[in-house]
Amino acid sequence: MAGGTWTKQDKVRPGVYINFTSESQRGLSIGSRGVVAICEPMSWGPVGKVMEVEAGADTTPFCGYPIYTAQARFLQEIFKGSDRTNGATKVLLYRPAASSSVQATVTEGQMTATALYPGVRGNDITIVVTEQADAEGTFDVQTVVDGAVVDTQTAKNVEELKANGWVTFSGSGALAETAGVKLATGADGTVETAAYTTFLSNIEAYDFDILIYDGDDSTVQAAMVNFVERIANTQGRYSQLVAYGLNVPDSRFVINVCSDITGISFADGTTLTGKQLCWWVGGTEAGANYNESLTYAKYLDAVSVTPALTNDQIIAALQAGKFVVFAENGAVKVDSDINSLTTFTADISKPYQKNRVIRTLHTIANDLYMQFSESFIGVVDNNATGRDLFKAVIVGYLQEMQANNAIQNFEPDDVDVLPGDEIDAVVINLRIQPVDAAEKLYITITVA
């Protein structure tokens, strides 16, 4: 009996002709959020490198300190989240170059130990060399940080010592016992404005939801505003900047933390400045899903705001497109989850000021960009059948968003997939109505 595969029904001999295929997996899925990018001056870590710090990871290799310490507080706040939404899932952390930064070092006998990275954290490193009791001329060399042994090596000569996660060794000759010598002269240096330009060049290759700037350099602020708007308008990659005290940015791509707020106090007695509030705002905005609003969300562990703004001050700040938090009953809450957009047009109307709406729109735009690029462009035919496939996957995607209360009143006819002016062009039109959270409740109580 004949057999094999078939392309068209033109076989001559009787037989069973079988093709093996798979059901098409081409479709769209709703992407996740939670990625923050930040350029943070630090006292430890590689310079000029984008590091990917996952939520829950040990932060010591990245910034030199555990997450519960003051020096790693910025990461703690970025990952914290609110009482009803998650914080960031990943931080793209970049340590900028700093002029006059110095690696800590110490020389003892023939051995020189040098901190792996520049910064004052290197001054917390101690090297202890102990001769083994039962092996004369053989030594245990310990690297100690904050009283904890982080590396132990056994050697007779300096040349045998290998670099570890904290120091490099140099020199030659026999080791000599020492109760402990501390590295010194490490310095952080000064981060110049140009270092942030280099950061933006490095981070452009990465995808992220929120860019945080916690400084007050107006030149850097302007560069970051321009950056998020440029990659959205020219590359179709959508994100938002969170910064403090910007001068009327008037942009849906920018969340302007209110400069009237100068401090946040916490239940454990610690405080953060208004600029440092950007850490939590950025992390929480990134971690919030496309169908979640932060309006009235609580800042975990925060208890008061300095100064306590009056009702009129809060209204004025909101009207100016500022992101405001306030204290109520021993808790700190977001007043309204808005961005800095204040000029509305027929194309960019008032709903674009709400960050939940922006999250929905950015999720749709980023998903269409990424997934069409990966699985559709150059693969799907530009004919009626191919365009029907485009429409089918978009409709299915938007129906899932509607089921998750991100959009409402959606119908399949709200998607048009049309041939473009050229043979390889497709025009897609979507009509959607984003859902926002109920925020203003107008109640009338009638007494009979």
Side-chain angles (χ1 to χ4, degrees):
M1 184 175 68
T5 61
W6 60 278
T7 302
K8 57 182 180 178
Q9 300 175 34
D10 61 352
K11 300 298 183 183
V12 175
R13 294 188 61 198
V16 178
Y17 302 94
I18 302 174
N19 286 340
F20 291 90
T21 186
S22 298
E23 182 179 354
S24 174
Q25 298 299 308
R26 193 169 290 123
L28 296 176
S29 59
I30 299 176
S32 59
R33 291 177 51 84
V35 181
V36 164
I38 185 170
C39 179
E40 187 70 11
M42 298 187 294
S43 299
W44 189 257
V47 175
K49 176 184 176 182
V50 177
M51 300 173 282
E52 299 190 19
V53 188
E54 302 282 350
D58 178 12
T59 59
T60 306
F62 303 100
C63 67
Y65 299 90
I67 197 166
Y68 55 79
T69 60
Q71 294 86 349
R73 182 70 180 267
F74 72 100
L75 289 172
Q76 181 183 142
E77 298 304 311
I78 290 172
F79 286 126
K80 180 179 285 185
S82 74
D83 63 324
R84 62 174 187 253
T85 59
N86 295 323
T89 58
K90 180 194 292 184
V91 174
L92 302 176
L93 176 60
Y94 182 94
R95 184 186 182 191
S99 60
S100 303
S101 63
V102 179
Q103 291 168 266
T105 187
V106 68
T107 298
E108 181 71 13
Q110 306 300 314
M111 177 191 69
T112 296
T114 303
L116 194 60
Y117 306 116
V120 299
R121 182 55 164 162
N123 300 331
D124 297 326
I125 302 171
T126 299
I127 305 298
V128 179
V129 182
T130 307
E131 188 172 17
Q132 293 185 350
D134 55 353
E136 185 177 353
T138 300
F139 299 85
D140 291 328
V141 180
Q142 295 179 318
T143 303
V144 181
V145 181
D146 291 338
V149 178
V150 296
D151 180 74
T152 300
Q153 301 182 47
T154 300
K156 292 183 178 181
N157 301 308
V158 176
E159 298 94 321
E160 299 175 43
L161 297 176
K162 301 183 183 303
N164 58 51
W166 291 91
V167 295
T168 60
F169 295 98
S170 59
S172 61
L175 288 164
E177 193 170 52
T178 174
V181 289
K182 196 169 186 179
L183 278 64
T185 70
D188 291 344
T190 302
V191 177
E192 307 292 346
T193 300
Y196 289 92
T197 302
T198 304
F199 158 69
L200 293 177
S201 297
N202 279 273
I203 205 66
E204 187 167 345
Y206 293 80
D207 293 319
F208 52 87
D209 301 294
I210 294 291
L211 174 65
I212 297 176
Y213 177 57
D214 55 12
D216 56 10
D217 186 314
S218 59
T219 301
V220 176
Q221 290 175 338
M224 293 205 171
V225 171
N226 177 265
F227 176 78
V228 294
E229 292 183 338
R230 177 177 61 80
I231 63 172
N233 293 330
T234 65
Q235 300 180 28
R237 298 165 56 214
Y238 292 86
S239 61
Q240 289 179 296
L241 168 68
V242 171
Y244 176 84
L246 299 177
N247 184 22
V248 196
D250 191 12
S251 171
R252 66 189 188 275
F253 299 110
V254 179
I255 299 172
N256 189 15
V257 177
C258 181
S259 58
D260 295 333
I261 298 168
T262 59
I264 304 291
S265 298
F266 295 83
D268 62 1
T270 59
T271 60
L272 293 177
T273 66
K275 287 184 290 187
Q276 292 168 334
L277 175 59
C278 292
W279 301 337
W280 179 77
V281 175
T284 308
E285 289 285 351
N289 287 327
Y290 61 89
N291 57 358
E292 294 177 325
S293 171
L294 294 179
T295 295
Y296 270 43
K298 292 181 181 179
Y299 187 167
L300 295 176
D301 306 320
V303 295
S304 65
V305 177
T306 304
L309 302 182
T310 66
N311 181 64
D312 288 345
Q313 288 174 318
I314 292 176
I315 290 174
L318 295 176
Q319 290 175 336
K322 297 179 181 180
F323 187 97
V324 179
V325 296
F326 68 99
E328 182 179 67
N329 298 324
V332 174
K333 302 177 182 179
V334 175
D335 191 278
S336 184
D337 189 8
I338 62 170
N339 55 59
S340 66
L341 183 67
T342 54
T343 301
F344 308 116
T345 66
D347 291 330
I348 306 298
S349 55
K350 193 169 184 179
Y352 282 82
Q353 189 188 44
K354 304 303 287 292
N355 286 327
R356 174 173 169 172
V357 172
I358 292 298
R359 278 190 286 276
T360 297
L361 298 179
H362 284 190
T363 297
I364 293 171
N366 286 333
D367 286 347
L368 293 182
Y369 172 85
M370 293 178 63
Q371 296 178 49
F372 277 167
S373 297
E374 291 175 359
S375 303
F376 287 76
I377 292 179
V379 177
V380 176
D381 293 331
N382 188 9
N383 55 18
T385 301
R387 291 190 293 273
D388 284 346
L389 176 59
F390 272 101
K391 177 169 181 173
V393 297
I394 294 171
V395 168
Y397 172 87
L398 293 175
Q399 286 174 335
E400 183 177 354
M401 294 205 86
Q402 180 160 260
N404 291 330
N405 299 317
I407 60 175
Q408 60 187 339
N409 301 322
F410 172 74
E411 299 290 343
D413 289 343
D414 292 329
V415 177
D416 296 325
V417 181
L418 308 171
D421 293 336
E422 298 183 359
I423 193 171
D424 58 356
V426 176
V427 176
I428 300 174
N429 299 314
L430 309 182
R431 292 171 293 278
I432 59 171
Q433 183 180 350
V435 174
D436 195 13
E439 295 184 3
K440 301 177 181 73
L441 306 182
Y442 299 96
I443 301 173
T444 299
I445 300 177
T446 301
V447 178

